[in-house]
């Protein structure tokens, strides 16, 4: 074949590859008309960490914190009541004593529980105290947050037993939120480097490769990974976490555009209809917003939805907004579950007509992003969100999101 023919052949191949990429990378919402309260069709963002990381930039940004501080100082609601709730909690105590241990051992449902509750709650306390520091500018809160983080970074070596990946994900989601605020808004933290080493050596290896268990596991692990990546300014870990996120969200929340069956996560091994239905808790009727764990219970579903919102929020702060890619799924997931939690009758086609438990204090971040920033009508989610204010903590990895994200425009 002549050189010119080769060039034309390569040109055709390149064009075809570009066309196929555009087709397969387009979000599902672009392939059908958006519902009346749905977002416009959106383009997927490129999978790349920011050239320069934004700090503080895990779940909350400096402009968001400034907004909150202004509202609290003005006595405005719901922020003032949310702040009072936070400050009255055990997590804001200035007499708290950290309980670090070298090996945190967590079995199924935290049985055995050797340091599991202590670690999660100390991490939430460090974040709570960091928020209190920023809002009050009282250095006692910053010093107590540092004391807790230093206590753990001096001691912990590993997480063991069956729940180790999830435990690492939960605690590893809260630690970098605290660390970001303290490192970048407080005057001095001599052991911040040791804390970074702890995150890199003890936490990141346990979460960065994900999990093929229930979706809330991998999503919480991914949340920890992306937060740690921001604190460490680790672009490779950030990119890997975003790739995990993009593979898992469509496999956790179903929308009708997916077809007859939900999507599956890369490497899941769910290669038959029966396996997929089994993984979806035996549910064989699929509807917009159904979660892989809806028929398990709403609490675990809430963990997954919360982690999705947190990851997207961090990505937005870092300049790579993942919300448009997952908005259709997230809005339906929030709306479907909120609808039944606020009192609608559950149809027999959904989990046999019975839903267990409740979502928990997890709707503020996603609702603020989708409704207030993107202009999506979310009546049921709004009703539930306002009923639950001020949203407190689930004592695992969610804390004070009415305070940080209610109607926050930044």
């Amino acid at each position: 074949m002549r050189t010119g023919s080769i060039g034309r052949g390569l040109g055709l191949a390149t064009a075809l590859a570009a066309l196929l990429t555009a087709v397969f990378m387009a979000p599902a919402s672009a392939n059908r008309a958006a519902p009346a309260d749905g977002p416009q069709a959106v383009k997927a963002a490129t999978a790349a960490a920011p050239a320069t990381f934004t700090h503080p930039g895990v779940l909350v940004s400096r402009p968001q914190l400034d907004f909150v501080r202004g509202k609290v100082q003005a006595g405005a609601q719901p922020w003032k009541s949310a702040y009072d709730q936070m400050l009255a909690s055990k997590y804001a105590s200035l007499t708290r004593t950290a309980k670090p241990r070298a090996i945190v051992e967590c079995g199924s449902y935290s049985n055995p529980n050797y340091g599991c509750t202590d670690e999660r709650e100390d991490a939430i306390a460090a974040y709570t105290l960091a928020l209190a520091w920023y809002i009050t500018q009282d250095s006692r809160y910053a010093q107590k947050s540092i004391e807790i983080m230093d206590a753990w970074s001096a001691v912990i070596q590993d997480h063991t037993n069956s729940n180790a990946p999830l435990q690492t994900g939960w605690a590893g989601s809260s630690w970098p939120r605290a660390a970001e605020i303290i490192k970048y808004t407080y005057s001095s933290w001599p052991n911040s480097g040791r804390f970074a080493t702890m995150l890199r050596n003890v936490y990141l290896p346990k979460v960065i490769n994900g999990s093929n268990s229930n979706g809330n596991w991998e999503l919480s692990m991914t949340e920890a990974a992306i937060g740690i990546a921001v604190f460490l300014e680790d672009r490779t870990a950030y990119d890997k976490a975003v790739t995990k996120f993009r593979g898992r969200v469509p496999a956790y929340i179903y929308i009708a555009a997916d077809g007859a069956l939900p999507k599956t996560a890369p490497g899941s091994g769910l290669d038959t209809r029966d396996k997929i239905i089994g993984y979806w808790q035996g549910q064989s009727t699929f509807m917009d917003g159904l979660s892989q764990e809806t028929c398990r219970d709403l609490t675990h579903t809430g963990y997954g939805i919360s982690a999705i919102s947190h990851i997207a929020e961090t990505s937005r702060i870092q300049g790579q907004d993942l919300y448009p890619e997952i908005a259709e799924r997230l809005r339906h997931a929030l709306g479907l579950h909120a609808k039944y939690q606020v009192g609608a009758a559950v149809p027999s086609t959904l989990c046999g007509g019975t839903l267990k438990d409740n979502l928990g204090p997890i709707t503020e971040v996603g609702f603020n992003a989708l409704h207030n920033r993107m202009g999506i009508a979310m009546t049921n989610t709004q009703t539930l969100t306002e009923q639950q204010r001020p949203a407190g903590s689930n004592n695992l990895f969610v804390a004070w999101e009415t305070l940080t994200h209610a109607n926050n425009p930044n």
Side-chain angles (χ1 to χ4, degrees), residues 2-22:
R2 292 174 297 169
T3 303
S5 299
I6 293 172
R8 286 192 297 275
L10 289 173
L12 287 169
T14 301
L16 179 59
L19 177 62
L20 289 171
T21 298

Side-chain angles (χ1 to χ4, degrees), residues 104-112 159-168 206 211 213 217 221:
V104 174
E105 181 180 355
C106 308
S108 182
Y109 293 94
S110 292
N111 182 23
H159 298 86
T160 63
N161 215 319
S162 59
N163 258 31
L166 181 61
Q167 172 72 19
T168 310
K206 276 282 196 298
S211 164
S213 56
W217 276 50
M221 292 163 68

